[in-house]
Amino acid sequence: MKRIKIVLLAILLASLLIGCGEKDNGQLPDTYVKGSDYQLYLCSNENRNKMNVQEGDDVIYLYHRNYVYYLDEKTGEILPLCSKADCLHNKERDPDRIEACNAYVGNASIQYCNGYIYALQKTDVLQDHCILRRISDDGSRKDILYEWGSSATILYWAVHRDVMYYKRDSYQGDIVGVRTVEAVYSMDLKASNPEPKVLFDPSTLQADSAARAGYSLLPYGNRLYIDYTLTRDRDDNFSKENQFDYMRKGIMAYDITTGELSDVQLPDMPYGSYVMGVDSIWRERLILNPYNAEADDLDPMMQYTVNLDGTDVKPLMEIPNISRIFADEKYLYVTDSIGWPDELGTYHDVYDENLNKIDSFKVPPFFDVDLPVGTVQRVISVFESSKPPADTGPDSIHIPNGFEDSAPVKSWGVLIWDKSKIGTYNGGEITFDMIFA
């Protein structure tokens, strides 16, 4: 009997130790964790809802025209993400067999998390009837995790630490009319039957308002940053001079460990000023990029940083009102990302950690969409060409922007910009290496 008690006590102690270990390991640090976190450095204003490049473990995953591929950087090969021996992959022409390919996801965008590629497919141009698929990182399995109804519209989404966060539209009707309400949802991707849950409904902040949230969804560390806009109905007192009294814009920080929501506040700014969105982290602080709708485009506007919990607001630097500011782990980039047609998406200036301007550069004209900020080492982008590889040049390159078009595609692949050359451009144009599929 004594021996049995000792064994039971040993088992109990072991289980307690295992339980403690699981608790300690389950809490990830409040910083970027490669492999499990949202890859914010691959996101830009224009590909936020159509990401087609993701980094895995020594593998780059690519989406191109209905299929997911992987780039083996050791061999330079780009292959469909399907391990079925009897599959023709992207060369299949039988409609009944196309869906069976594990690499096929339809018109979709992709994100990577903990050994899986998640593909959010839209079934028409308006993105109604969305389907979320999950593919194992070796291409051996593909599953449908969730399918929304035909009235659901999902534009902005982010996968972070095995949870999907996304914005969904709905409509509310009353005697005044129909109001748009955009709420943010979460869905546990590890659950056996994932179900969406409302995470943040901005209409609860202000009654009788059109409420929008989630255009800018940025998960980082232990928080999700959500932009929101509230618009009151106009009345007899409305005028051009007081129009911003009828609108409220802000940033909400959601703590994924506690479930608490908190407003990120900036100091008093000029009338008509608001934060354009949440795009970047700089030295473990959130960058807030205000815009003054009442000022001229080139007027100076102060940029700010705050702690990840939204406290300790500090001025960062002044940049032109129309400009945007982004960061990787080493540099700040100031770009006229909204600006002049001949320089759309051009990063003008590069600053070091002491805010000294160290370089400026231009992006080739064929790159007519926002250039993702990339990692410290590089930027990767999918490209298409109207000519075969041997004849491909700047005049034939096209950057997919998420809307499939009828332009002829004779070849495609990835462009890679080596950022080690920063400091040598002096206003010149950057160049890309090309890898063809």
Side-chain angles (χ1 to χ4, degrees):
M1 180 63 71
K2 183 176 181 181
R3 182 180 179 185
I4 293 175
K5 288 182 178 179
I6 293 173
V7 172
L8 289 174
L9 180 61
I11 293 173
L12 177 61
L13 289 172
S15 64
L16 288 173
L17 288 172
I18 292 172
C20 292
E22 288 178 346
K23 184 175 181 181
D24 291 343
N25 293 331
Q27 181 75 35
L28 292 177
D30 193 14
T31 186
Y32 181 78
V33 178
K34 185 177 181 181
S36 71
D37 287 9
Y38 176 71
Q39 298 181 18
L40 69 160
Y41 51 88
L42 294 176
C43 178
S44 71
N45 286 334
E46 288 186 306
N47 80 345
R48 191 183 298 275
N49 66 332
K50 196 67 177 179
M51 294 178 74
N52 57 13
V53 176
Q54 291 285 278
E55 292 194 331
D57 186 11
D58 296 324
V59 173
I60 304 299
Y61 296 100
L62 311 168
Y63 167 83
H64 182 252
R65 298 202 175 229
N66 298 323
Y67 289 86
V68 178
Y69 299 82
Y70 67 95
L71 165 62
D72 186 332
E73 295 195 84
K74 294 179 181 178
T75 65
E77 287 187 288
I78 297 176
L79 299 169
L81 185 61
C82 177
S83 61
K84 291 183 177 180
D86 60 344
C87 185
L88 296 178
H89 312 306
N90 56 337
K91 295 181 173 59
E92 180 64 68
R93 295 297 176 262
D94 183 347
D96 296 329
R97 293 181 57 83
I98 289 176
E99 174 67 38
C101 175
N102 286 346
Y104 179 82
V105 293
N107 192 351
S109 58
I110 61 171
Q111 294 188 34
Y112 174 84
C113 181
N114 287 332
Y116 293 101
I117 285 289
Y118 293 90
L120 182 64
Q121 179 195 9
K122 65 175 185 177
T123 58
D124 61 30
V125 174
L126 297 178
Q127 288 193 295
D128 290 346
H129 191 191
C130 295
I131 300 172
L132 180 67
R133 291 180 172 85
R134 180 171 64 190
I135 307 173
S136 57
D137 59 3
D138 61 357
S140 62
R141 184 182 177 93
K142 178 177 69 174
D143 299 292
I144 292 179
L145 288 190
Y146 196 81
E147 191 167 350
W148 288 263
S150 59
S151 62
T153 300
I154 298 172
L155 289 175
Y156 304 103
W157 66 299
V159 174
H160 182 74
R161 301 187 178 183
D162 297 308
V163 176
M164 176 182 176
Y165 303 100
Y166 64 93
K167 182 197 84 168
R168 179 178 172 181
D169 297 344
S170 62
Y171 303 94
Q172 295 178 349
D174 55 26
I175 58 174
V176 177
V178 177
R179 293 187 176 91
T180 300
V181 175
E182 297 175 350
V184 175
Y185 292 74
S186 66
M187 189 162 60
D188 182 358
L189 300 176
K190 294 189 296 183
S192 56
N193 292 297
E195 286 293 334
K197 296 180 180 179
V198 178
L199 186 152
F200 172 57
D201 181 353
S203 66
T204 61
L205 300 178
Q206 183 173 292
D208 301 326
S209 296
R212 300 176 181 272
Y215 173 80
S216 174
L217 287 174
L218 180 67
Y220 185 85
N222 290 331
R223 289 172 183 81
L224 170 70
Y225 302 99
I226 309 166
D227 71 302
Y228 67 87
T229 303
L230 303 169
T231 308
R232 292 194 293 116
D233 295 323
R234 297 181 181 183
D235 55 25
D236 293 338
N237 296 319
F238 178 85
S239 68
K240 183 178 180 181
E241 287 70 29
N242 69 0
Q243 60 181 312
F244 290 100
D245 293 338
Y246 291 74
M247 183 178 72
R248 173 183 168 189
K249 295 177 72 71
I251 303 296
M252 195 66 70
Y254 171 75
D255 190 319
I256 66 176
T257 64
T258 65
E260 295 178 353
L261 285 162
S262 57
D263 240 330
V264 179
Q265 301 288 339
L266 277 181
D268 291 338
M269 293 188 295
Y271 186 77
S273 300
Y274 54 88
V275 176
M276 297 175 68
V278 183
D279 298 304
S280 282
I281 305 293
W282 172 242
R283 302 175 67 81
E284 298 301 317
R285 290 173 64 86
L286 187 67
I287 295 178
L288 298 181
N289 181 198
Y291 171 73
N292 187 352
E294 299 280 277
D296 291 336
D297 288 346
L298 298 181
D299 285 351
M301 189 68 181
M302 179 60 69
Q303 310 300 292
Y304 297 88
T305 66
V306 301
N307 283 337
L308 297 179
D309 63 1
T311 62
D312 189 31
V313 178
K314 291 182 178 179
L316 176 63
M317 63 189 303
E318 281 190 331
I319 62 174
N321 186 39
I322 195 64
S323 295
R324 304 295 298 273
I325 187 166
F326 301 93
D328 55 29
E329 295 175 330
K330 187 174 183 180
Y331 298 122
L332 283 173
Y333 304 83
V334 175
T335 172
D336 180 7
S337 62
I338 301 173
W340 322 121
D342 61 335
E343 294 181 353
L344 184 63
T346 298
Y347 290 123
H348 294 290
D349 302 316
V350 187
Y351 296 84
D352 65 14
E353 60 183 14
N354 297 314
L355 302 185
N356 297 312
K357 181 179 173 181
I358 62 168
D359 206 356
S360 61
F361 60 85
K362 292 184 178 181
V363 177
F366 64 77
F367 213 110
D368 58 353
V369 298
D370 279 353
L371 180 71
V373 71
T375 65
V376 172
Q377 292 80 24
R378 61 187 179 180
V379 171
I380 303 175
S381 177
V382 173
F383 77 93
E384 296 177 342
S385 175
S386 59
K387 296 181 179 180
D391 300 323
T392 291
D395 61 324
S396 64
I397 290 177
H398 165 70
I399 306 299
N401 62 4
F403 298 97
E404 310 293 9
D405 54 42
S406 57
V409 177
K410 295 291 184 66
S411 59
W412 73 277
V414 294
L415 301 171
I416 300 178
W417 172 37
D418 179 3
K419 293 170 76 173
S420 67
K421 299 177 183 177
I422 288 178
T424 67
Y425 290 107
N426 298 315
E429 193 171 273
I430 63 174
T431 58
F432 294 88
D433 296 322
M434 292 190 293
I435 299 176
F436 288 91

